[in-house]
Amino acid sequence: QSVLTQPPSVSAAPGQKVTISCSGSSSNIGGHYVSWYQQLPGAAPKVLIYENNKQFSAVPDRFSGSVSGTSATLGITGLQTGDEADYYCAAWDRSLSALLFGGGTKLTVL
Amino acid sequence: EVQLVESGGDLVQPGGSLRLSCTASGFTFSGYDMHWVRQAAGGGLEWVSGIGHGGDTNYADSVKGRFTISRENGKNSLYLQMNSLRVGDTSVYYCTRGVPGALDVWGQGTTVTVSS
């Protein structure tokens, strides 16, 4: 059971926009940077967004991140079939002294 | 090329021990925090443990007291000693590099199966 809460799945058509939410608390998202990871089927995760809203090297600007209070959001525009993957948010939790991952969201591009 | 390669995964009985290794190349290993993250089949990512470049360590509650993370900078290596293994520890274990605000390099993973 994850302390960071993500929707299990989201879907949208090619070319459309989708957002994935990540809800936490003041001890994690509310006080520490959020990062987002993409895991394609059968592959290791890779970082998309770090420090809440910075795109990692070589990540297309179709991917964006934002934080408001104790919630974070990953946005993906111009959806492509190659974007079908599992997406995870992560943040340090100062109460637990542990890095937390969200439960993951499966993106389907219809 | 920056690379992390894990090894040591195996089939082990409940209550047994296993030591995972991760060999780094292509960067100055001693200057980075390092972490272990695991993923059960069909499940999500779970952070297991981290060690700072200065040697400070942290553990998930689920492994505290059973797992020990360590590093040997002279060998560019990260380790995870896993004792008192449980069926629930069965996962793919990833070695990852920590940078401010993210885990930016991941290995391909090594599989640990705990079963009788």
Side-chain angles (χ1 to χ4, degrees), chain A residues 2-7 20-26 28-30 34 36 68-73 89 100-103:
Chain A
S2 305
V3 178
L4 302 184
T5 302
Q6 298 180 234
I20 298 173
S21 61
C22 175
S23 177
S25 70
S26 57
N28 42 69
I29 293 177
V34 175
W36 288 91
S68 178
T70 59
S71 293
T73 302
C89 59
L100 299 181
F101 284 97

Side-chain angles (χ1 to χ4, degrees), chain B residues 4 19-21 25 30 32 37 46 53 58 60 63 65 73 76 83 85 87 90 98-99 108 111:
Chain B
L4 298 171
R19 188 198 199 204
L20 304 183
S21 300
S25 59
S30 61
Y32 288 86
V37 174
E46 180 188 14
H53 58 273
N58 287 287
V63 306
N73 290 335
N76 291 336
N83 298 331
L85 281 162
V87 172
T90 296
V99 295
Q108 84 290 347
T111 300

Side-chain angles (χ1 to χ4, degrees), chain A residues 35 37 39 44-45 56 88 98-99 101, chain B residues 39 44-45 47 101-103 106-107:
Chain A
S35 52
Y37 301 85
Q39 187 175 32
F56 194 69
Y88 297 89
L99 181 65
F101 284 97
Chain B
Q39 185 171 36
L45 301 175
W47 176 82
L103 303 175
W106 295 65

Side-chain angles (χ1 to χ4, degrees), chain B residues 11-116:
Chain B
L11 170 64
V12 62
Q13 292 188 341
S17 297
L18 206 56
R19 188 198 199 204
L20 304 183
S21 300
C22 169
T23 301
S25 59
F27 65 99
T28 305
F29 178 76
S30 61
Y32 288 86
D33 299 347
M34 298 295 297
H35 300 262
W36 289 98
V37 174
R38 68 184 181 184
Q39 185 171 36
L45 301 175
E46 180 188 14
W47 176 82
V48 173
S49 180
I51 183 167
H53 58 273
D56 53 305
T57 60
N58 287 287
Y59 299 91
D61 284 345
S62 58
V63 306
K64 205 170 290 184
R66 300 188 298 123
F67 290 10
T68 302
I69 190 172
S70 62
R71 64 191 302 161
E72 193 167 355
N73 290 335
K75 293 187 176 182
N76 291 336
S77 292
L78 175 73
Y79 306 103
L80 186 68
Q81 177 66 42
M82 304 186 295
N83 298 331
S84 302
L85 281 162
R86 305 167 180 169
V87 172
D89 295 319
T90 296
S91 290
V92 173
Y93 284 73
Y94 294 102
C95 167
T96 84
R97 186 177 80 170
V99 295
L103 303 175
D104 71 334
V105 180
W106 295 65
Q108 84 290 347
T110 188
T111 300
V112 173
T113 303
V114 184
S115 175
S116 54

